[in-house]
Amino acid sequence: MSLIVQKYGGTSVGSVERIKAVAEKVAKFRQQGDDIVVVVSAMSGETNRLISLAQEMQESPDPREMDVLVSTGEQVTIALLCMALKSLGWEARSYTGAQVKITTDSAHTKARIMDIDEAPMRADLDAGRVVVVAGFQGVDENGSITTLGRGGSDTTGVALAAALKADECQIYTDVDGVYTTDPRVVDGARRLSRITFEEMLEMASLGSKVLQIRAVEFAGKYNVPLRVLHSFQEGPGTLITLDEEDNDMEQPVVAGIAFNRDEAKLTVRGVPDIPGAASKLLAPIGEANIEVDVIVQNVAADGTTDLTFTVHRNDMDKAAAILREVAESLQAKEVTFDDKIAKVSIVGVGMRSHAGVASLMFNTLANEGINIQMITTSEIKISVIIEERYLELAVRSLHSAFDLDKEPEEE
């Protein structure tokens, strides 16, 4: 018998029929003797509907009242799921985030979990009930309802699994696992049977949309085994674990290829090569709450330097306006920008113990006539900035070059 936390997203509970299907899936686990805690999102489209109502009242809705409003979406789902379980003959009890109680800080619309009182859930599990918890929400020390921001239900699921020391946290979604890359781009993309937290964190931060970064961080911190599964199809999914030791397969050099089209590149040319110049250029960007990704600086023979960095494409115009002001005060020559770029990354813990990974990546792109504009690396990833029009060609050629379409061989 296992204690399992299952999380179902908005599409999984998007209609009465789908909620009934989730109830039947949960019932199968109960029949096997497993204790089950279910975390659910609002029905698909409901949170957007509530946000649009708020915007009809206020152009910039009050954050505290916005949390009160949008948290109601999950309350509908937990009640309906409990009713569906009871109709199948299984005892179930619903909890809002405040009832659990999931204590958060007071950062409305983007709160962070501070503590969880698991005692009421344990009492219900001991009594043979299925516990159904509203994802995405909690309560601060003042009793105000809070929400956890984008992907908050994934985070709730992982946090409950950590608090309860669950055997596994299962994230049910509209894909049947984590793939070597996006199957819509590469026909030969392969579902991974397992991947490490480190690799999944890199994949998520570099563009893979399967799991939210906060949830993976939380799971890695508390060593909660995570499994990604399809809501409506049977299958083993992908297990995300802390280490590679219990993997009986030869660790592949590269686990997957992530990519991101939402990048823009800005360059300040002819900046005086003096201490503090980079700080003066980038500090105002940070103060404007614009995240900087890849940074490259080149020093020229004439005593000037060129600074190039990337930001999210939506932030390009704002960043360019800030840069022009600062560049003028530094007497830099010009500011240029380019929103027709993309980032392609290879990720794998096996890169730590294999030489020649970077050269294979660069040679593969060169053979396809793809020019690399910027490079950034870490222990387990290499990212390059290229022209956006070559993105799919780059992903396909790298996927083939690193044999990601082949099943790993047993040792």
Side-chain angles (χ1 to χ4, degrees):
M1 188 174 79
S2 301
L3 170 54
I4 300 170
V5 176
Q6 298 182 337
K7 179 263 173 178
Y8 294 90
T11 54
S12 306
V13 292
S15 66
V16 168
E17 290 72 25
R18 288 190 169 184
I19 291 172
K20 287 179 178 177
V22 167
E24 288 169 2
K25 188 182 283 281
V26 172
K28 286 179 185 173
F29 282 88
R30 287 294 292 126
Q31 284 164 357
Q32 294 168 13
D34 295 324
D35 288 330
I36 303 293
V37 175
V38 184
V39 175
V40 290
S41 300
M43 296 170 76
S44 56
E46 180 63 10
T47 302
N48 288 340
R49 186 185 74 84
L50 293 170
I51 291 170
S52 68
L53 287 175
Q55 288 169 340
E56 286 182 34
M57 298 299 169
Q58 272 187 299
E59 192 175 331
S60 299
D62 178 81
R64 183 185 183 278
E65 302 312 322
M66 180 62 103
D67 277 355
V68 173
L69 177 66
V70 296
S71 65
T72 62
E74 285 73 21
Q75 194 166 330
V76 171
T77 318
I78 58 173
L80 290 175
L81 181 55
C82 283
M83 292 174 193
L85 285 163
K86 286 171 186 284
S87 73
L88 295 174
W90 295 98
E91 278 301 308
R93 180 168 286 176
S94 66
Y95 289 90
T96 64
Q99 289 171 323
V100 166
K101 139 187 191 185
I102 299 172
T103 306
T104 73
D105 61 20
S106 300
H108 286 288
T109 74
K110 53 185 177 185
R112 300 191 83 82
I113 296 172
M114 313 294 287
D115 189 45
I116 293 175
D117 179 9
E118 76 273 19
M121 291 185 290
R122 286 203 183 279
D124 278 330
L125 292 169
D126 291 343
R129 297 187 185 100
V130 176
V131 175
V132 182
V133 181
F136 174 67
Q137 61 184 252
V139 61
D140 69 9
E141 291 178 345
N142 302 315
S144 296
I145 293 170
T146 56
T147 62
L148 307 180
R150 181 174 168 167
S153 292
D154 283 2
T155 306
T156 302
V158 174
L160 292 181
L164 291 164
K165 296 182 171 55
D167 295 288
E168 194 167 279
C169 179
Q170 299 175 346
I171 306 290
Y172 286 87
T173 181
D174 53 3
V175 294
D176 64 345
V178 180
Y179 276 70
T180 50
T181 195
D182 190 335
R184 292 169 297 185
V185 173
V186 180
D187 289 337
R190 183 174 48 79
R191 182 185 56 78
L192 297 164
S193 60
R194 67 169 65 216
I195 188 172
T196 68
F197 285 120
E198 271 188 292
E199 290 168 329
M200 192 65 240
L201 263 178
E202 290 284 11
M203 295 279 280
S205 67
L206 295 166
S208 175
K209 304 289 195 295
V210 177
L211 283 173
Q212 290 297 326
I213 294 171
R214 277 175 68 188
V216 182
E217 285 175 338
F218 214 110
K221 181 178 179 181
Y222 293 100
N223 195 13
V224 176
L226 263 182
R227 191 179 294 275
V228 179
L229 296 148
H230 199 292
S231 299
F232 310 114
Q233 296 173 12
E234 295 303 316
T238 299
L239 181 64
I240 305 162
T241 57
L242 239 186
D243 57 31
E244 311 113 57
E245 290 152 15
D246 47 337
N247 189 351
D248 56 2
M249 302 283 189
E250 175 70 39
Q251 192 67 36
V253 180
V254 171
I257 298 172
F259 58 87
N260 188 357
R261 302 176 194 272
D262 301 326
E263 300 252 338
K265 180 180 72 170
L266 297 106
T267 301
V268 189
R269 301 191 191 284
V271 182
D273 186 21
I274 54 172
S279 172
K280 285 176 183 172
L281 287 166
L282 293 175
I285 300 292
E287 287 163 11
N289 206 26
I290 297 171
E291 288 184 22
V292 173
D293 187 12
V294 184
I295 305 173
V296 171
Q297 181 170 314
N298 298 311
V299 180
D302 65 356
T304 65
T305 182
D306 295 344
L307 182 74
T308 303
F309 62 92
T310 63
V311 298
H312 192 283
R313 198 169 288 182
N314 292 344
D315 291 325
M316 185 186 74
D317 291 341
K318 187 177 175 184
I322 293 168
L323 274 187
R324 285 193 192 98
E325 261 187 62
V326 184
E328 193 175 328
S329 69
L330 286 171
Q331 297 184 321
K333 290 175 185 171
E334 64 172 340
V335 175
T336 62
F337 49 87
D338 180 2
D339 64 354
K340 297 289 188 288
I341 62 161
K343 180 168 68 174
V344 179
S345 310
I346 58 173
V347 177
V349 292
M351 290 165 61
R352 288 189 178 124
S353 55
H354 287 79
V357 178
S359 62
L360 176 55
M361 182 184 193
F362 302 155
N363 284 337
T364 301
L365 296 176
N367 290 339
E368 297 292 347
I370 301 171
N371 189 44
I372 297 171
Q373 300 179 13
M374 302 170 74
I375 303 167
T376 180
T377 68
S378 77
E379 249 195 326
I380 67 165
K381 76 122 196 285
I382 303 171
S383 296
V384 296
I385 301 297
I386 61 172
E387 280 187 72
E388 185 183 15
R389 61 182 170 146
Y390 294 123
L391 173 62
E392 295 193 5
L393 174 60
V395 173
R396 284 195 294 269
S397 57
L398 289 170
H399 195 271
S400 176
F402 285 99
D403 294 328
L404 289 175
D405 46 355
K406 297 177 184 172
E407 293 290 337
E409 296 177 6
E410 293 191 22
E411 287 185 312

